[in-house]
Amino acid sequence: MSDRDKLHLYEEVMLLALKDHEGKPDFGSMYQYAIGGALLAELLDSNRVRLTGEKHHVSIVDTTPLGDNLLDECLELIHMSRKQKKTTDWVSGFASVKDLRHKTVAGLCNRGTLRQEERKVLLLFSRKLYPQLDPGPERKVVERLREAIFTQGANVEPRTVLLVALAGASDLLKMVFDKKELKAARP
């Protein structure tokens, strides 16, 4: 897989959150917080921030932009903050970024994985939807999750473990896999 095809962790979360044909997140999922956690994880992984102290405050290590608009916006938010905040504060803050869903899908639309549509609601309002064009990337993500969750003794890479944790905490796994299967795999 080339660098152009490689998805960011937050994009993988978004693929799990969107209904394939409707192009909108499932009502009731807390995908924004999973995306917030994924954004923070990517900043940590790229050595732009680090955790300090017992309360896991986030502090800047390097302000060099990563070349991704959303990650760079989040890095700037941390850099411009007047005080250090805990990881939970930043996850919530990133989950509340204006137009988060639209910013998250931008790269997926550019790659041809999703397409942007605008539809009228009640003839007064318009909303943007992102139906799936190419199911391949999401299938790969789901297969990685399936192997990590349901295969005994699987050697799972840390990025996939993080994706399982984020998707599980935000109820996205229940949208992808059967609840009974997940319950049986819990031990």
Side-chain angles (χ1 to χ4, degrees):
M1 180 183 298
S2 71
D3 282 345
R4 177 167 158 60
D5 296 331
K6 186 175 182 195
L7 299 178
H8 289 286
L9 189 59
Y10 71 85
E11 292 172 321
E12 292 179 338
V13 170
M14 181 54 85
L15 285 176
L16 295 173
L18 289 175
K19 294 179 182 179
D20 298 343
H21 300 293
E22 294 177 37
K24 64 180 183 178
D26 200 10
F27 182 74
S29 75
M30 297 189 315
Y31 76 94
Q32 302 96 321
Y33 294 99
I35 289 174
L39 288 163
L40 182 58
E42 292 203 53
L43 292 174
L44 284 162
D45 188 49
S46 64
N47 295 315
R48 296 304 193 272
V49 299
R50 69 174 174 203
L51 304 182
T52 57
E54 288 180 23
K55 293 189 176 186
H56 301 290
H57 285 103
V58 177
S59 57
I60 289 284
V61 174
D62 182 359
T63 59
T64 306
L66 292 158
D68 177 89
N69 292 339
L70 185 53
L71 285 169
D72 291 342
E73 180 179 343
C74 292
L75 182 62
E76 184 68 15
L77 287 172
I78 296 171
H79 180 64
M80 298 306 288
S81 177
R82 295 179 189 250
K83 64 177 187 170
Q84 281 193 331
K85 297 179 184 176
K86 297 183 285 188
T87 55
T88 54
D89 296 328
W90 283 117
V91 168
S92 295
F94 296 161
S96 302
V97 164
K98 184 176 181 189
D99 295 327
L100 178 67
R101 179 170 32 135
H102 309 301
K103 291 175 181 179
T104 301
V105 299
L108 295 166
C109 289
N110 289 338
R111 285 187 203 92
T113 304
L114 304 175
R115 101 173 158 267
Q116 180 179 317
E117 289 182 0
E118 207 159 306
R119 294 187 190 157
K120 289 284 186 190
V121 179
L122 301 174
L123 302 174
L124 297 172
F125 307 101
S126 63
R127 70 175 180 185
K128 293 179 183 174
L129 301 172
Y130 301 96
Q132 193 174 73
L133 285 175
D134 178 8
E138 184 181 8
R139 281 188 196 136
K140 289 177 184 174
V141 170
V142 170
E143 190 51 43
R144 273 186 24 236
L145 291 174
R146 181 180 313 285
E147 187 174 321
I149 295 168
F150 302 113
T151 305
Q152 294 292 338
N155 193 7
V156 183
E157 64 176 8
R159 177 184 171 93
T160 302
V161 172
L162 183 57
L163 183 58
V164 169
L166 291 168
S170 59
D171 288 336
L172 293 175
L173 287 180
K174 294 176 184 175
M175 293 170 40
V176 178
F177 301 111
D178 182 67
K179 292 176 187 171
K180 291 179 184 176
E181 279 184 299
L182 288 171
K183 189 173 183 178
R186 184 168 250 147

